Structures are given as structure tokens and as C-alpha cells.
Amino acid sequence: MNCLIIDKVYAGIAEELGKSMNVKTAANLPSTKEQLLAEIADVDVLIMRVDPKIDKEILDAAKNLKVIGVCSVGLNHIDMEYAKEKGIQIFNAPGLNANAVAELTISKMLDISRGTMTANYDVKVKHEWDKYKFVGRELRGKTLGVMGFGRIGRRVGELGRAFGMNIVAYDPYLKPEDFEKENAVGMGVEELLKVSDFVSIHVPLTDETKNLFNAKSLEGMKDDAVVLNMSRGGIVNEKDMYEALKAGKIGGYATDVMENELAGSGLTGNDTFASPLFECDNFIVSPHIGAQSVDASKDIGLHIISKVKEAMGL
Ligand SMILES: NC(=O)c1ccc[n+]([C@@H]2O[C@H](COP(=O)([O-])OP(=O)(O)OC[C@H]3O[C@@H](n4cnc5c(N)ncnc54)[C@H](O)[C@@H]3O)[C@@H](O)[C@H]2O)c1
């Protein structure tokens, strides 16, 4: 039995599955489509994250494939219908990175409220030591509006409560009791934008949510409110956000994702990556690291190991 690993995943997967099958880790992580096509013919178990796309051509070339273990949440990179037709079982790890993303959200909420990114830059790069430049705001007593009250949104709410924040949430797909049992107040989007000091976005990117957060949303908010986006680029309209930041119509924007983060060969290609938002001190960003914690990687890895073993009767 052969297993091929084509992305950077929890090291325990190779170790554990290696006890009952030949495990090979591809030379290039993540593998390109061409590299995968060259290796897939005799593979029984494929371990991957979200690259490359698993289309009909790859599935046809995978003559022995029985299981795909996806060490991630999304499955929209796989032709699920065709895989099902071919009897290939697919496992992912829903929810297992929710805490990692939620903690990054809180980290950014604290950083942007206290100006720690600019302060760090001032000291280390500009060699300035000016404590009077940084008068921040605390989270305690503030209202946190969560848009999209799913696994990540609910955990953000839970962590926000630990800081003494009031939690309000907007999610048209939930029932009133879903908010109540999380000690949050469910409300419409306009009201949420009006009352919140922080708005944290945790919806999936769909036709309905593209540009969901735009000039109109910003208009209804407090001038010192902060927007956080740990979901997907394209949900927040960056041009509208830039204009609001420049005009002082919003307190700050903290994000882990950007509209054109996958343009060209993506960030891993070391392409030049720029945005007008980079001019703004009250804009902070990280390169889509929300799920990147050793803890999430291990939890996901252990889940995938158990699913693969069960499916392969090991
Ligand atoms: N930054 C990262 O590295 C990272 C990692 C994991 C997930 N994510 C993103 O976070 C998103 C949320 O993840 P999750 O695990 O909480 O998903 P989830 O499915 O548990 O929750 C999403 C919630 O959004 C709600 N929703 C859908 N459309 C909506 C709309 N138009 N308005 C308001 N709410 C809406 C759904 O009802 C659901 O409750 C993912 O779709 C993904 O894009 C980012």
C-alpha cells in the first residue's frame, strides 16, 4: 500500500501511517499538478492540504487511489462528485483550526487597540522610545460584533467574553436560541454595525458574501470602530476600506487575508505584493496565517490519521 504526502503537514502522519504502508513525501511541497500527475498512478492514500486542485485528470490518473486525507477545512479544491463516482473516500478536518483562527483574531484586536505593531517598529527600526505616542484602548466593556457565528465566530465570542466584552452577532442562518446559548445577542447587520466597537468577520466567501463589507457598511459604524477580517480576501472591499481609513471614518482594519493574495504565483513565489492599505498605520496584516499553529496542525493530523486507518481497515 502506498501513501503520498504532497504538502507540509503534521510529521506524525508519515510516522504513524509508515507503520502499515510505504509513505513517500514529495520533493516539492505543495506539489504542482504536473508533479502529482507524475507520481499518483500507484498511490492508495493521498495526504494534502488545498493544493493542487484535484480535478478529473488527476483522479483518472490515480488508478489505485482509495482515500484522500485533507489536512484543512475546505474541500472546494476537489471534484467531489467525480471522486465519489470513483469510490474515493475524502476526509477533512472541520472545526479543528477554529481556536487557532480565533486566537489570532484576539491577538490582532489587542495589537491594533494598543498600537503594538507601530510601537515595535518605532523602537526596533526607527530607534525611537516615545511612550506618549501610544495611548490605547482596552477591550473590557466594549461591544464586539461577530459577523458569521459559526465555529470560529463563536470561539471569538467566547474569548471576547473572557475580556469582559459584550457580544452581539449577525448570522441569518441561525435561530435565536443559537445566539442565546452562546451568551450573545443576535441582531440584524445594520444594528450590529451601529453598536459595535469591534466588528469581526467570520463568514465563508460565496457570491452572497463577496464585497459584503463595503462603503455602506462603513458608513453605519462608529468613527473609532475597528474591523477585523480573518475569513477570506474579497469579503471586505479594500478600496472602500482604504478610503474610510484615510478619511478617519473608521478606527482601524486588521486582517489575515487580502483580495489579491493569490495573484501571480501567490505569496510563496516572493512576488512583489503591495496595496495602498500599507500606507495606513491603523491597518495591520498577516499573510493568511490563521490556521498555522503547531497545535492545530497536530489536532488535524491526528484526526486524519484515525480517518485514514479506519477507511483502510488498519
Ligand atoms: N485565516 C485563516 O487562515 C482561516 C482559517 C480557517 C477558516 N477561515 C475562514 O473562516 C471562515 C469561517 O470558518 P468557520 O470554521 O467558522 O465556518 P463555519 O461554517 O463554522 O461558520 C460560518 C458561519 O457563517 C455564516 N454565514 C454564511 N453566510 C453568511 C452571511 N451572508 N452573513 C452572515 N453569516 C453568514 C454561516 O451561517 C455559519 O454559521 C471560513 O469560511 C474560511 O473562509 C480562515
Side-chain angles (χ1 to χ4, degrees):
M1 216 184 297
N2 295 315
C3 168
L4 178 66
I5 299 179
I6 60 165
D7 209 331
K8 286 178 192 150
V9 296
Y10 171 56
I13 295 182
E15 206 176 296
E16 186 57 31
L17 295 184
K19 291 176 186 163
S20 41
M21 54 185 96
N22 301 316
V23 177
K24 181 179 173 195
T25 299
N28 191 51
L29 304 177
S31 295
T32 61
K33 180 176 177 180
E34 290 64 38
Q35 288 161 342
L36 181 56
L37 277 172
E39 300 209 71
I40 194 86
D42 62 350
V43 169
D44 299 275
V45 175
L46 177 68
I47 302 290
M48 67 178 309
R49 287 173 75 171
V50 296
D51 290 305
K53 273 199 171 16
I54 304 297
D55 56 14
K56 288 195 171 68
E57 193 182 351
I58 290 183
L59 293 170
D60 282 336
K63 305 277 182 232
N64 284 343
L65 195 59
K66 294 162 191 76
V67 170
I68 305 179
V70 180
C71 296
S72 180
V73 175
L75 287 175
N76 45 8
H77 57 292
I78 299 179
D79 187 335
M80 295 293 285
E81 217 167 289
Y82 199 54
K84 198 172 162 202
E85 248 175 61
K86 294 197 153 260
I88 299 168
Q89 295 191 67
I90 297 171
F91 301 104
N92 63 336
L96 293 180
N97 57 20
N99 186 62
V101 182
E103 286 192 15
L104 185 76
T105 309
I106 298 292
S107 149
K108 285 197 193 297
M109 225 180 273
L110 291 165
D111 279 333
I112 203 159
S113 300
R114 303 301 295 271
T116 57
M117 295 289 181
T118 316
N120 181 63
Y121 182 82
D122 279 8
V123 176
K124 286 173 71 175
V125 180
K126 290 163 75 184
H127 299 168
E128 280 178 15
W129 189 270
D130 180 3
K131 70 192 266 180
Y132 297 105
K133 186 174 163 187
F134 299 98
V135 180
R137 290 198 308 164
E138 297 177 23
L139 304 189
R140 186 182 48 178
K142 304 296 187 305
T143 296
L144 166 59
V146 182
M147 288 175 72
F149 208 46
R151 297 178 190 95
I152 298 172
R154 286 197 298 269
R155 180 67 180 147
V156 167
E158 191 178 359
L159 296 175
R161 272 199 311 283
F163 283 89
M165 303 181 91
N166 309 310
I167 312 301
V168 301
Y170 164 68
D171 193 319
Y173 299 101
L174 298 184
K175 297 188 285 299
E177 54 268 33
D178 295 326
F179 300 102
E180 281 157 27
K181 67 174 185 255
E182 299 291 328
N183 295 312
V185 178
M187 56 179 61
V189 65
E190 279 170 22
E191 192 185 355
L192 177 141
L193 294 170
K194 199 162 122 197
V195 302
S196 296
D197 300 293
F198 296 85
V199 170
S200 197
I201 303 167
H202 301 287
V203 300
L205 176 62
T206 60
D207 288 344
E208 180 202 16
T209 62
K210 189 153 173 51
N211 279 319
L212 174 76
F213 201 94
N214 53 36
K216 188 165 170 281
S217 332
L218 288 155
E219 248 171 49
M221 295 181 68
K222 299 181 184 179
D223 283 354
D224 59 357
V226 166
V227 179
L228 299 114
N229 179 14
M230 307 302 130
S231 52
R232 282 289 181 270
I235 292 170
V236 170
N237 183 306
E238 289 177 6
K239 191 170 165 289
D240 292 353
M241 180 58 79
Y242 172 74
E243 274 157 24
L245 285 170
K246 277 301 215 199
K249 292 268 176 225
I250 194 80
Y253 178 44
T255 189
D256 187 41
V257 289
M258 293 197 75
E259 262 167 24
N260 63 347
E261 66 183 72
L262 293 177
S265 54
L267 291 176
T268 47
N270 282 331
D271 290 355
T272 305
F273 189 73
S275 158
L277 285 166
F278 297 176
E279 292 165 25
C280 308
D281 265 356
N282 48 357
F283 167 70
I284 63 173
V285 60
S286 49
H288 207 141
I289 60 171
Q292 299 269 101
S293 75
V294 287
D295 312 88
S297 168
K298 183 175 177 188
D299 289 350
I300 290 169
L302 294 176
H303 173 76
I304 293 296
I305 290 169
S306 82
K307 288 292 182 187
V308 169
K309 280 172 125 180
E310 196 184 313
M312 300 301 285
L314 300 171

